[in-house]
Amino acid sequence: MSNYIYSVKQGTSINRWQRSTLQKQKVASKASCIDAPVNMTEGYQEVEYPIRTNFLRELSEVPYPRKQVFSEVYDGFENPRVDFSTFQATPQKVSTYLRAQLRCQENQTVECALVTCGRAILWINGKLLTDFHPYTRNHGTKTTVNLPLEQGDNELIVYMDDLAERDVNFFVELKILSNHHFQVVLPLSYDDTILQQAEDFLNGLYFEKDFYSKGEVSICSDYDYFEKVFVTYEEVTFTEEVGGNITDFRRESQFLPLNNQRISLGDVEDIPTSGLTHLFVGVLLPDQTYLFKKFVFTVYNEEKLARQLGGNLEERKATALTIFSKLAIQDMNSALAEIHLTGFLSEECWEKLQPAFRMIEERGDCADFMFAPLLGFWLGKKEQLPEKLRTKLKDLAIHFRYWIDEPGNDVMWYFSENHSLLFHTCQYFAGCLLPEETFVTSGRQGSQQYDLGKHRLLQWFEQFEHYGFSEWNSTTYLPIDLIGFFSLYTNAPDEEIRDAAKKALDFTFTIMAVNSHGGTLSSTFGRTYEHDLKAMRLGELSNILAIAWDRGNFNYALRASTLFCLSDYVPPKECLSLIDLKPNEELTVTYLQGINQVQTYLYKCREYSLASGIDYHCFEKGHQQHMMNVSLGSDGTQLWINNPGEFMHSGENRPSYWAGNGRMPCIKQFKNVLCMKYNLSKAYVPFIHMYVPYWNLDQIDMDDSNWLFIKKDQSYLGVYFSQGYKMQQSGDTRGRDIISEGIDHTVLVKCGSRNEFSTFESFIAAVKKAKMTDESFDDSQFGLFVWNEIDHLASYQVMPVVKMKEGAEHEET
C-alpha cells in the first residue's frame, strides 16, 4: 500500500481521483409528441424532449458507495474537469462515483466552484454536503460549495450522472476559489511511483505529425518507463453505438513494444482509415487496471487513394462506384454501390446494411441520414430491388417516426436544417412508396405521409432559396444536405421537388468551388469539428471535388459521394473556373448566409486562401463556428486561430479545443489582410491559439517581436499577436500549438506570395515595416486600413468575381 499525493491551491482543480466503473442504462418514457420550432441557425438550440421531462420529474435516491467500488484511477491530464463526455445514439443515463482524501495541516473551510451540466452529489467524511442537479443539457452550471476540512485526512466522495441524449457534456469540475492549499491523497495497492511514471509517460507521448500520407506511423515518447503499452482504437469510457453508415474500418487492439522511445503503429498502408482516428494509449497498472490517454492522428494513403479517377465525369463516377462497392466495411453506401452494379444482394452486402437497419429500428440519432437514401434507392429501383431488401425496408418504413408530431420516446435530433430536410425526405419517399399502408407511429395512410412530406419539403426549399445555408460552408453538414438533394434530384416523383433539388445542388457545388483551395474546402464554417479541420483531405467534400472535377482528394467518405455517383447530376460548368485560377488571377467573394445573416468573406489566389466571418456575434459566447481560416500551398495546408471551448486537447465538447470558439472574435477583412479582436473577460479558457502543422510547412520564423512568419511553397503568411505568443514545447500539441495568453487581443493576419513579394524575406520586411495600431494598418499593397471605416457590402447571392491582381498585365477573365 502507498499513497499518490498531489497539491492543489487557489485557482486549480481536483482532477485526479479514484473512480468506480462507468455505468450506463437505457432510459425510456411514454411515447409522446413534441412542439418546438426548427432551429434554422448555426447556433446551439435547446429543446427539452419528453424523455428528459420524465427523467427530471423525480430524482432517484443515490446510495452512499462502498469503498470497494473505487477500482480505477481517473487522471484529467491537461483537463481540469472530470470529463466523460460522449455520444450515445439512444437515451442513456450515465453515472459514476469519485473518491479522494483531502489532507490538511489545520482545520479550514475551503470555498470551491462546483460546475456540472447534470448532477453532482458531494459527501465529506460521510456527511452529505450538497446535491446539485441543474441538468442544464450540455451547459455547465456553477454553484459555490464550502468544504469543511479537518486537520488530517478528509474523505471526499462525489457522485455524478447525466442523461445522455446523443452528445452529452458529462463532467464535473471542482475548482478551489479561496486562498487555501492542501494535498489530495489517492490510496493505492501498489507503489505510487508507478502511477506517477504512468502519468508522466502518457503526458510525454506525441505524434511527430497529425497527418501521415506514407511511411511509418509512430508515437514518440519522452520517457522509457515501460516496455510495452496497450493501444486501442475503441472508445475506452463508454462503448460507442454503431453509427450505421459512418464509414469505419475495424482495427485490432494490441500490446505494442516501446523501442527507442517510439511505439510503431505500422505503415500507412497497414492502417485502413476513413478520417481522423482516435487512439487510446493505456499503461497497465499493477492492480490490472489501465491509465489511458486519448490521441488523434490522420492517415491518408497517397499511393492508394490519391489516384487519378481519370477521364470524364461519368468515368470518374463509375470508377468510384466500383471502388466503393468492394470496400470490406459495415457501411450501407458500399452495399448500395454493390447492388447498383450487380443487381444482386449477396450475404456480405446484406451484412453491410445491418448497422443502418439497427439504427433505424432503434430510432437512434442520425437514423434519418441513412433512411432517406435507402428509401430513395428503393424508389429509384422499384421492383428491380431485391425482394429481401424491399421487405425489410417496407417494415422499417411502416414503423419509423417521421416528425415530432408523431408520438415517440427517442432522442433523434430534428431541429436543424439538415435533419429537418432528411426527415421530410424520408416521409415523402415512404408515403410515395406505400400509399395504401397505415403507418404505425402516426396512424396516417401512406398517401397522407406523402402529401405532408411534400408540403414540408417545399417549405424547406422556399426558405433555403431565400437564405441559403445557416450552417454555412460546413464541411460536416454540407455532405448531409447533399444526401437529401441527391436523393430528391434522382428519385422524387414530383418535378417541382426535382427542380428545387437541382437548384440546391447547383448552389451547393458553386459554394464548394468558390471555397475550395488545394483540393479541400478552405473557408469559414458555420459548424465544424476537430476531425474536419485536421483531416480535410479525408473529408467528404474533398472526395466530391475529386469526383466532380478531379480537383480534390479521393477517399472513402461515402455518404453523399455514393449518391453523387449513382445520379446523372452534372455540376455547373462555370464552377471549374472558380477553382482553377490562373497565375495572376484573384477571387473575392462576400455574401450573406442564413437567417442570422453572417457575412462570409473569402479572398483566394493560386498560392493561398484567406476567409472569415465579418463582425459576427462579436465577443459573445460561441459554439462550433470556425470564424477564420488560412490555406497555404498546392495541397491546401490549413491554419486557423480560435479561442478554445475546453482545455482537453481532443475532447468531445462543443466548442472543443480546436473547433469553434468559446468566445467569438470580431473580424474585419480586405483581400489578403485580416484583423481580428478577442475579449476573453468571460471566457472559460483564457487564451487564443493557432494551429501550425509544421510538418507541411517549409519555414517557420518565430520573430523576437510579436510577429510569426510562415512559408509554404510559394505562399507566405505573417501573423501579429498583440499579447505575444509562445510555441508549445511539450505534450501532444508540441510544435503545432501557438498560444497567446491574455484578455484583450488584436491579431493581424497578412498573406502574400512570391508572385506579389518576390522573396519570403521581402515579404517579412514589407510587413514589419508597415505601421500598425489597434485601429489601423498601413499595408504595403493596399494602403492604410482604418478597421472601423471598412464597409463590407454583401447580399444573399453568391457573386464570385474573378479578376487580375492589381498591376497584372493580363486580360481580365
Side-chain angles (χ1 to χ4, degrees), residues 324-342:
F324 295 162
S325 71
K326 295 178 180 179
L327 293 175
I329 53 177
Q330 294 283 295
D331 188 300
M332 57 165 264
N333 298 288
S334 177
L336 296 185
E338 181 179 335
I339 296 168
H340 175 78
L341 293 174
T342 68

Side-chain angles (χ1 to χ4, degrees), residues 372-382 425 428-429 432-433 450 483-495 497-498 501 563 566-568:
L374 282 172
L375 291 170
F377 191 74
W378 177 15
L379 188 57
K381 297 289 184 183
K382 298 286 179 58
T425 301
Y428 174 66
F429 282 160
C432 179
L433 284 160
Y450 162 77
I483 291 174
F485 298 159
F486 279 125
S487 296
L488 293 167
Y489 167 77
T490 304
N491 304 301
D494 296 286
E495 185 177 357
I497 296 289
R498 292 195 303 273
L563 299 177
L566 290 171
S567 77
D568 64 2

